Amino acid sequence: TPERRRRVEEALRRGNLAIHALPYTVETASADIETLARCFLPSSRLARRYDLPFPEDAKMTDVPGHDWILPTLLRRAGVRFFHLGANPTNIQAKQPRLFWWEGPDGSRVLTLFSSGYDSGLLPPPDWPHRTWLAMVMTGDNEGPPTAASVRGWIGQIRAKFPHATITVGRMDDFAALFGATQTRLQRYK
């Protein structure tokens, strides 16, 4: 409706609604370079239309692995953080949970791999870092979580980690905390 469109546009301008660089999942093994590059058009057009910076984060789910060219395309599009979620029913690729994914030209993208659409609310017991990206999602076709759900999740985090600093933000906020100083992360080609 026009009213809903107005509310979405206002949320985009205020930064309450964020877009990421890839609006859908692509089977990269079945696409050519031009098709993959065109995947960035919707987010690029939205950023230009609403005078927003181009997103520096991206996400795909459902597909457990992607072609080696993807980190190069992501980096060349300005993306510095990528979340890759694979359905838990798929055979899981063998790589670290958080790593620098390096493309054929040496381009690197900080990548968080999850078994599922999101990263989960709490870090796994073996998580070695002080920072965790609590990316939580609703199920297919359920729409966004309610404000009450988000408050409940924050309460669960506070109960487990009472001294934690909790920031509601974008995926690239998480990436900024790691930045180039985390060169100890494994590279994965």
Side-chain angles (χ1 to χ4, degrees):
T1 64
E3 171 59 19
R4 186 174 193 177
R5 181 183 184 109
R6 184 190 62 74
R7 290 176 54 213
V8 167
E9 289 175 338
E10 285 177 8
L12 279 167
R13 287 186 184 104
R14 282 191 317 265
N16 292 49
L17 179 61
I19 57 174
H20 66 80
L22 292 172
Y24 40 77
T25 297
V26 176
E27 300 257 358
T28 56
S30 65
D32 60 17
I33 298 295
E34 181 175 347
T35 301
L36 293 173
R38 287 178 181 268
C39 290
F40 299 102
L41 285 175
S43 55
S44 176
R45 287 177 178 148
L46 278 172
R48 285 185 182 96
R49 180 174 182 172
Y50 295 103
D51 197 28
L52 303 169
F54 187 81
E56 295 181 353
D57 46 22
K59 173 178 182 25
M60 281 206 275
T61 55
D62 286 334
V63 181
H66 291 280
D67 279 5
W68 188 27
I69 195 64
L70 190 57
T72 296
L73 292 172
L74 289 165
R75 222 27 232 133
R76 299 297 178 199
V79 173
R80 60 185 181 145
F81 178 79
F82 179 57
H83 176 260
L84 173 57
N87 282 348
T89 56
N90 291 335
I91 295 173
Q92 301 298 301
K94 303 267 192 279
Q95 79 279 321
R97 185 179 301 268
L98 183 68
F99 58 94
W100 288 109
W101 191 9
E102 189 172 308
D105 69 342
S107 296
R108 296 187 320 162
V109 176
L110 184 63
T111 303
L112 178 66
F113 177 82
S114 301
S115 178
Y117 290 156
D118 57 29
S119 64
L121 185 61
L122 301 172
D126 62 345
W127 184 250
H129 308 288
R130 294 178 46 121
T131 303
W132 175 247
L133 174 64
M135 183 181 357
V136 184
M137 302 191 170
T138 60
D140 286 346
N141 304 315
E142 289 183 25
T146 65
S149 294
V150 174
R151 283 191 298 272
W153 295 330
I154 290 172
Q156 289 178 49
I157 296 168
R158 285 198 197 288
K160 178 81 174 173
F161 302 103
H163 302 293
T165 300
I166 300 171
T167 303
V168 177
R170 299 181 56 104
M171 292 182 290
D172 67 350
D173 295 330
F174 171 77
L177 294 172
F178 280 88
T181 62
Q182 289 292 327
T183 55
R184 294 183 315 237
L185 290 176
Q186 183 175 344
R187 288 184 183 182
Y188 185 75
K189 294 181 182 184

